[in-house]
Amino acid sequence: MAIPEYDVLIVGSGASGGMAAYTLTKRGLKCLLLEAGPSVDFAKQRVMKPVYELPYRGLGKPGKLPHVLQANEFNANQWVDEQQVPYTHDPKTPYNWVRVRMVGGKSLFWARMSFRLSDYEFKAKDHDGFGENWPISHADLAPFYSRVEPIFRVSGRKEGLAQLPDGDFIPDESPDSEATKAFAASAGKQGIPVTKIRRSLGKGAWASSFNLLLPDALATGNLTIVPNAVAREISVDKATGKVTGVHFIERGSRREMHAKAKAVVVGASCLESTRLLLNSKIANSSGVLGHYLCDQFYMNSSVVAIIPELKNGAGARGGGGYIPRFRNLRKDEKHNFIRGYALDFNTGGTPDPRYFGSWGEQLRKDLESVRGAAFSCTSMGEALPRYENKVTIDKSVVDAYGIPVLHVDCKYTDNEYNMAKDAVDTIGEVCHDAGWEVLNKNPKFYNPGYSIHEVGTCRMGDDPKKSVLNKWNQSHDIKNLFVVDGSSFVTAGSQNPTMTILSLSMRASEYLADEAQKGNV
């Protein structure tokens, strides 16, 4: 029996791989999608259990997921088991790599925050002189943002902010709470904008490729999904230099198999895609593959305050908002850092007991007096793309499938530390000027990787000597190889990356379909 050759083989089923499948199959291309994890029937396979029925009382088995601070015993099986698929790093510079292997990928579990990047990110070098520009601008990607946002049903408020471009939103007309209005008024005195969160409403329980992209792709009859297929290496025709398919391992039997295709689209998530390319020893004539790893540093509860007028049972209708980047928008600004940070905040909650010096009955009374009167915010700041922040293959360690693992070298610098201090000091001032009582300011952030927004290790660019991909997410070295996930980013920005990943994947996939029709790939 002849082995079928597909038009396109897609690695990964999350936001990027799912969008590639959605776009390519609608253009009539026959696609095979390899996913390293299972296809889960959540209605039948997910159950709720009381904590006393769990072996570790909800805390999880020690050592199983040491880097996934978001994990507990209730959700541990949704994350990649680090004992089966490890990675390495210097103990002095830890990195938190959070991974999901199941059909739908991390798009099953994201926070749905849906922002566009602006030309402050796409053309960052023009603005502050650091690093490189993207080979595209917001204008190039805007038509694709405008097609992705309705699919994911992004809600928001149009504000006309250059640093946070408006999109095709479902208008968020929900009223702001009085506390949110007071905070916005205080922030406005310092020129700090406050807007609504822009969030994907999705459909039902999810806003993911699992329910918004893959069903439509399957309905075309042009998509075959193979779950539990762990990609090991991309195969190359030595005569032509083109990729010919992917060697993969079936998880259950551990059999190695090979799938053939006329083109390969890699969308396994930033670091897994880079790992696959590095293990395949391809697409790296520039020498920058694996370099320029960046993300956003992350600080939850970075400022916690009490709103006096809501104390002692006055109560509050819960509210919140988003503060887009407001630093370094003018070239004449002087700060001890470049780029900027963003924050999302909530009002109407109750502070954590750790912010009070009391205990026992007095602590109960203290908490009761401020129930519903809290303000809390999370800060995310742009980490600079630096050559020395990188991933390489650790040949001394293999995963459960015999595949060499990644070694991560990544750390934050004074630019990020100075940015974090500015964030908490500035928001603390806004709260103080609003007449609120600041309980805590926390400028300490988690290790790199915690935000789960890692990008940049397979970046795009016009110069093949400085980048891995061209402006169409196409390998400079191999014209029938495309990489469509966050690894293609040149800068991280302070915005959540999912809308940009989806839009880049749609744009690249349409280009691939056009080139395939012309016989150019």
Side-chain angles (χ1 to χ4, degrees), residues 479-502:
K479 65 181 181 179
N480 65 337
L481 173 65
F482 291 74
V483 183
V484 296
D485 52 35
S487 63
S488 66
F489 281 36
V490 181
T491 58
S494 56
Q495 303 94 314
N496 302 58
T498 305
M499 283 296 112
T500 303
I501 291 171
L502 288 161

Side-chain angles (χ1 to χ4, degrees), residues 232-233 274-281 393 403-405:
R232 180 181 66 80
E233 183 180 338
T274 302
R275 178 189 177 202
L276 178 60
L277 294 175
L278 288 170
N279 274 322
S280 302
K281 299 180 177 63
I393 296 298
I403 303 171
V405 307

Side-chain angles (χ1 to χ4, degrees), residues 41 78 185 194 406 411 433 514:
D41 186 331
Q78 78 186 32
V194 175
L406 279 185
K411 62 182 179 181
D433 291 346
D514 289 341

Side-chain angles (χ1 to χ4, degrees), residues 413-436:
T413 65
D414 286 346
N415 200 74
E416 288 78 39
Y417 291 112
N418 293 338
M419 193 185 296
K421 186 177 188 305
D422 187 85
V424 299
D425 287 346
T426 302
I427 300 306
E429 288 178 19
V430 171
C431 291
H432 182 269
D433 291 346
W436 299 354

Side-chain angles (χ1 to χ4, degrees), residues 460-461 468-483 508 511-512 515 520-521:
M460 59 167 63
V468 181
L469 310 171
N470 67 17
K471 65 180 180 179
W472 302 106
N473 292 75
Q474 180 183 33
S475 165
H476 286 301
D477 298 347
I478 306 172
K479 65 181 181 179
N480 65 337
L481 173 65
F482 291 74
V483 183
Y511 175 79
L512 169 55
E515 292 298 289
N520 291 338
V521 295

Side-chain angles (χ1 to χ4, degrees), residues 387-406:
Y387 181 84
E388 60 269 25
N389 286 339
K390 66 183 188 300
V391 294
T392 53
I393 296 298
D394 187 338
K395 296 180 180 178
S396 66
V397 182
V398 298
D399 64 16
Y401 312 100
I403 303 171
V405 307
L406 279 185

Side-chain angles (χ1 to χ4, degrees), residues 337-358:
F337 59 91
I338 61 172
R339 310 287 163 92
Y341 53 85
L343 308 98
D344 61 272
F345 66 88
N346 289 285
T347 62
T350 302
D352 191 280
R354 70 179 182 272
Y355 300 124
F356 297 85
S358 55

Side-chain angles (χ1 to χ4, degrees), residues 365-376:
K365 291 180 180 179
D366 290 342
L367 289 173
E368 191 62 32
S369 72
V370 296
R371 191 171 303 281
F375 164 93
S376 180

